[in-house]
Amino acid sequence: MNTIFSERLKKAMDLCGYRQADVLEKAASICKETGTKLASGDLSQYLSGKTVPRAKKLDVLAQVLAVNNDWLDAMCLWSVQICSLRQTLRLPHKLD
């Protein structure tokens, strides 16, 4: 369960005054241009924290909500923190 992503998605939607239907409506043209499919079921799963979008859908959501991909993508935050910790501890990037 990814509550960080879910919370950020909800916050961005609230700040824009968007409901799920609004997000899907505004995403339609971007999805058409990029060949990405974003369904209401996808958005419901993201909002409930059951799953997170892959890169293309994340890009679409960030564009629609006018937020930075890195802020919206909670996993990116963890990656940065892990890299920083590895540098601090002088660990290799890949542990065997």
Side-chain angles (χ1 to χ4, degrees):
M1 196 167 204
N2 193 326
T3 55
I4 296 172
F5 177 82
S6 173
E7 289 170 7
R8 289 182 181 192
L9 180 59
K10 289 175 190 173
K11 181 176 181 114
M13 288 173 63
D14 286 343
L15 289 172
C16 290
Y18 292 166
R19 298 169 294 131
Q20 288 186 41
D22 300 322
V23 172
L24 293 170
E25 180 183 324
K26 300 204 180 292
S29 62
I30 300 169
C31 287
K32 187 174 182 179
E33 290 173 13
T34 61
T36 306
K37 294 181 182 179
L38 181 64
S40 60
D42 296 328
L43 195 51
S44 294
Q45 295 244 336
Y46 306 151
L47 289 166
S48 69
K50 290 182 182 175
T51 188
V52 295
R54 293 190 183 205
K56 280 187 172 184
K57 291 182 183 181
L58 179 69
D59 288 342
V60 170
L61 291 170
Q63 285 182 51
V64 167
L65 299 169
V67 296
N68 185 290
N69 288 31
D70 293 340
W71 176 81
L72 190 57
D73 183 10
M75 293 309 292
C76 180
L77 176 64
W78 288 108
S79 296
V80 169
Q81 290 174 343
I82 289 169
C83 287
S84 177
L85 180 60
R86 283 186 176 148
Q87 287 175 347
T88 302
L89 298 175
R90 298 183 181 177
L91 297 173
H93 285 288
K94 290 188 177 183
L95 299 175
D96 295 324

